[in-house]
Amino acid sequence: MSAAVLKFSVCRRHTEASSLRIRSNLKPFAVINCKLPNISRFSQSGTLCIQLSPKGQSRRPSTSADFQMTLVDESIGRGKIVIKPSEILAYDLVQGPLVRWSYIADKSVPCPPTAVLLHGILGSRKNWGTFARRLAQEFPNWQFLLVDLRCHGDSASITKTGPHTVCSAALDVLKLLGHLRVTPRVIIGHSFGGKVALSMVEQAAKPLARPVRVWVLDATPGKVRAGRDGDDHPAELITFLSALPKEVVSKREIIHALVREGFSNDVAQWVVTNLRQTNPSDSSPGFSWTFDLDGIAEMYQSYEETNLWEVVEDVPRGVHVNFLKAERSLHRWALGDLQRIHAAEEQAAEEGGGVEMHVLEDAGHWVHADNPDGLFRILSFSFQGM
């Protein structure tokens, strides 16, 4: 029996620390023969990013050295597992401290209760990082799958055939769940991600669990209406960004350009989080976007036009759909939409299904940033009792 040989090398630019940490007294650059531990994610190149914390030190990223663990031998224990670059979405798996599970380890270990968190248009899985770690700490038996949707974040480098739609984005996530052999109990989607969550329910009975709770955060199931004067318009933002050079000199320059164009400073500050240094070793490095703007423009058009009312008004058995409206949201919540959701709520209650409407006080559209405590309280009951 041959074991996998794992080579460690310092990963100085790894900024998205996974939830996995291995406590060890070993020095860097050791070659270890071992059974693969509880793995949170492989990169598209086949490299696993982990953190190695010296014994006795804090588990915080600031006190841990970052390493890459690269698979040299593809044989793992008795089983033959070939790790190859895949067309699956980029993701992080944040696991509670009591979770002992890996999709490539012992298959007899049941998958723990899992929640999927989906970002909005022009976002990334990093938007959910802090909130997911808080959930994992509070609900230690759960794990939280954070996904970069197609054309976004680290998934932007993956070749995806069009059309780039809500439907195709949902199918990508379902394929990822199948690849990981994960059956989610909770799906949380913000804005565009909310429609993706509903589309997942529409497209597949499996791998969705029964029961499953779906949270649609500050989004409606139907047509997206034009905003009022003073609103930040995503379509206009995408058009403006598409006109900019693919490589820019400074983030501050982009912020000023966006504010001059009429976008809010908050939106401008958020947008530049999608800029990445192109050559960090250079004394004056430039920045490039981490997303595919052409694909995103197509996705946003689909978001505006996609109609998923049928999922809400005829909820599959075992599915509970929760809508959350931000009190100060600039999102286009029409009175007719609210009335239709409440009608679906009453009908579902009569038929034994589940539709529910919630309001998050003191929050705008960016619910997980504006009022994370309130959002945490509202979402928490979905993770209790499992």
Side-chain angles (χ1 to χ4, degrees):
M1 178 181 71
S2 62
V5 180
L6 302 171
K7 181 175 67 177
F8 290 88
S9 59
V10 176
C11 179
R12 300 187 184 280
R13 293 196 61 239
H14 179 59
T15 58
E16 298 166 10
S18 74
S19 59
L20 172 67
R21 295 180 176 88
I22 302 175
R23 295 182 179 274
S24 174
N25 291 322
L26 295 172
K27 295 180 180 179
F29 308 108
V31 177
I32 304 172
N33 294 315
C34 67
K35 180 180 178 182
L36 283 183
N38 196 1
I39 291 173
S40 68
R41 69 180 173 91
F42 279 95
S43 72
Q44 296 303 317
S45 64
T47 297
L48 169 67
C49 288
I50 67 171
Q51 287 190 319
L52 201 62
S53 300
K55 187 175 181 180
Q57 286 192 7
S58 167
R59 289 167 59 102
R60 293 176 302 175
S62 59
T63 61
S64 303
D66 288 340
F67 294 86
Q68 285 184 340
M69 186 162 69
T70 304
L71 199 63
V72 177
D73 186 349
E74 292 178 341
S75 58
I76 302 176
R78 289 189 177 86
K80 192 77 172 180
I81 299 179
V82 179
I83 306 298
K84 294 180 178 179
S86 172
E87 293 307 303
I88 63 170
L89 299 173
Y91 67 93
D92 284 325
L93 190 59
V94 180
Q95 296 181 322
L98 299 182
V99 175
R100 300 290 181 269
W101 178 86
S102 167
Y103 83 99
I104 64 171
D106 187 355
K107 294 182 182 179
S108 66
V109 178
C111 177
T114 303
V116 179
L117 285 80
L118 306 172
H119 61 79
I121 210 78
L122 291 172
S124 76
R125 68 185 189 275
K126 290 186 289 185
N127 297 156
W128 281 113
T130 300
F131 196 84
R133 287 189 290 274
R134 179 177 177 181
L135 285 170
Q137 197 65 34
E138 181 70 20
F139 304 101
N141 291 311
W142 281 75
Q143 62 182 12
F144 301 87
L145 182 66
L146 284 57
V147 181
D148 277 347
L149 298 174
R150 62 164 58 203
C151 303
H152 291 76
D154 290 333
S155 293
S157 60
I158 302 171
T159 302
K160 289 289 186 184
T161 56
H164 300 299
T165 63
V166 169
C167 178
S168 60
L171 187 58
D172 292 342
V173 181
L174 290 171
K175 288 179 179 178
L176 173 62
L177 294 173
H179 174 80
L180 298 178
R181 299 195 295 274
V182 166
T183 304
R185 298 279 182 179
V186 176
I187 305 172
I188 302 171
H190 175 242
S191 196
F192 178 89
K195 272 195 176 178
V196 172
L198 289 175
S199 182
M200 289 171 64
V201 173
E202 180 187 49
Q203 290 188 64
K206 292 183 178 180
L208 298 183
R210 296 292 188 270
V212 59
R213 287 191 174 271
V214 177
W215 285 89
V216 181
L217 306 183
D218 216 40
T220 56
K223 184 176 177 62
V224 177
R225 295 167 177 80
R228 305 179 303 272
D229 291 341
D231 289 5
D232 284 315
H233 299 260
E236 294 178 6
L237 176 59
I238 293 166
T239 300
F240 180 77
L241 294 176
S242 299
L244 295 174
K246 291 187 177 180
E247 188 169 328
V248 299
V249 177
S250 78
K251 293 184 178 183
R252 187 177 297 276
E253 212 173 90
I254 299 302
I255 292 172
H256 289 162
L258 285 164
V259 172
R260 284 196 303 270
E261 191 67 17
F263 297 100
S264 70
N265 185 66
D266 286 345
V267 166
Q269 294 281 353
W270 165 70
V271 165
V272 298
T273 62
N274 291 292
L275 284 169
R276 182 176 295 165
Q277 287 186 340
T278 52
N279 189 2
S281 60
D282 197 332
S283 57
S284 56
F287 297 86
S288 58
W289 297 105
T290 60
F291 41 50
D292 171 7
L293 278 171
D294 291 337
I296 286 175
E298 194 175 344
M299 291 171 76
Y300 186 75
Q301 182 177 353
S302 169
Y303 171 65
E304 288 192 326
E305 297 172 353
T306 298
N307 188 327
L308 291 165
W309 277 109
E310 187 175 346
V311 178
V312 179
E313 295 174 337
D314 187 15
V315 182
R317 184 173 297 277
V319 176
H320 193 109
V321 179
N322 297 269
F323 289 93
L324 183 140
K325 177 187 180 300
E327 184 182 38
R328 295 186 284 102
S329 176
L330 296 179
H331 182 77
R332 285 66 109 183
W333 285 92
L335 178 60
D337 289 338
L338 295 172
Q339 291 172 337
R340 199 168 175 180
I341 290 172
H342 285 304
E345 187 175 5
E346 294 175 4
Q347 180 179 338
E350 293 175 1
E351 298 175 356
V355 175
E356 199 167 345
M357 187 73 193
H358 308 260
V359 176
L360 179 61
E361 297 178 352
D362 193 26
H365 184 60
W366 308 105
V367 291
H368 40 329
D370 291 346
N371 187 359
D373 293 338
L375 181 63
F376 186 87
R377 285 192 297 272
I378 291 174
L379 294 180
S380 286
F381 80 88
S382 291
F383 307 106
Q384 295 167 354
M386 291 190 184

